[in-house]
Amino acid sequence: IAPRLPDFFRLNPDITLSIDAGFWPDDPVREELDVSLQYDTTNVGDFVVQPVATLHYAPFATRPYLELYGAPKSLADLLRHRVIAHSAVRFQPDTWNPKISAVRTLADSALDTNCSATIIMAAQSGAAVAQLPTCAVRFMPDLVMLGEAPIASPKLYLVYRADVGRIVRVRRVIDWIKTMFDPQENPWFRS
């Protein structure tokens, strides 16, 4: 989202966005939200729920990290590496490679956080191996994807109240989000 904000603001100077990247404890959609992107759709009530993307996760590291520690040859080989773990990796567990649960339990976790920005900055600094969406290759060319197959492919959903979705400013945000995740333009979001 962040790399696309300049274009959005240029085309929509009258819209102010408020982005909360936190994880809701029990109720992922609060009444005050106009639009939400989320993995969990179990408690959304009467909201409109539309799948907008599939995020394919893979391990990534920097070239200097790989030169220093070597590249893991398999998921099991990740146990020899320090890894960066995202504490919110709990949604859609059926989309994750079963071996990843074992790796997460047994690996030497260099960092456990719920902040994606921290994970990205730590990975880019060469601190450890991180599990990131494969679209990272487009936005972070300094990171190398390890392996050829994703380790998980959870769906991302666009969620909003139908009445709010008819408001012009909210509709522009919804349309922008759909364009951002368009699988024809961005093949890494295809299922």
Side-chain angles (χ1 to χ4, degrees), residues 22-31 33 38 40-45 90-91:
F23 291 90
W24 313 121
D26 295 317
D27 186 11
V29 179
R30 295 190 201 164
E31 289 297 319
L33 293 177
Q38 58 193 61
D40 185 20
T41 61
T42 54
N43 296 319
V44 294
R90 62 175 193 230
F91 299 114

Side-chain angles (χ1 to χ4, degrees), residues 15-130:
I15 295 178
T16 300
L17 296 177
S18 179
I19 298 174
D20 184 339
F23 291 90
W24 313 121
D26 295 317
D27 186 11
V29 179
R30 295 190 201 164
E31 289 297 319
E32 69 267 17
L33 293 177
D34 291 331
V35 178
S36 176
L37 286 170
Q38 58 193 61
Y39 293 107
D40 185 20
T41 61
T42 54
N43 296 319
V44 294
D46 59 350
F47 287 77
V48 175
V49 177
Q50 299 174 330
V52 290
T54 300
L55 296 180
H56 305 280
Y57 283 82
F60 283 85
T62 60
R63 283 177 183 77
Y65 174 92
L66 297 173
E67 289 168 8
L68 188 59
Y69 299 106
K73 307 280 188 261
S74 66
L75 289 180
D77 201 21
L78 278 174
L79 295 174
R80 297 185 314 105
H81 293 266
R82 294 178 59 80
V83 296
I84 303 168
H86 198 297
S87 61
V89 178
R90 62 175 193 230
F91 299 114
Q92 302 181 34
D94 56 313
T95 70
W96 288 83
N97 183 319
K99 293 180 183 177
I100 276 300
S101 293
V103 169
R104 281 186 52 93
T105 301
L106 299 171
D108 180 13
S109 184
L111 173 66
D112 192 8
T113 181
N114 70 348
C115 178
S116 297
T118 299
I119 291 170
I120 290 167
M121 293 177 79
Q124 287 180 314
S125 74
V129 175

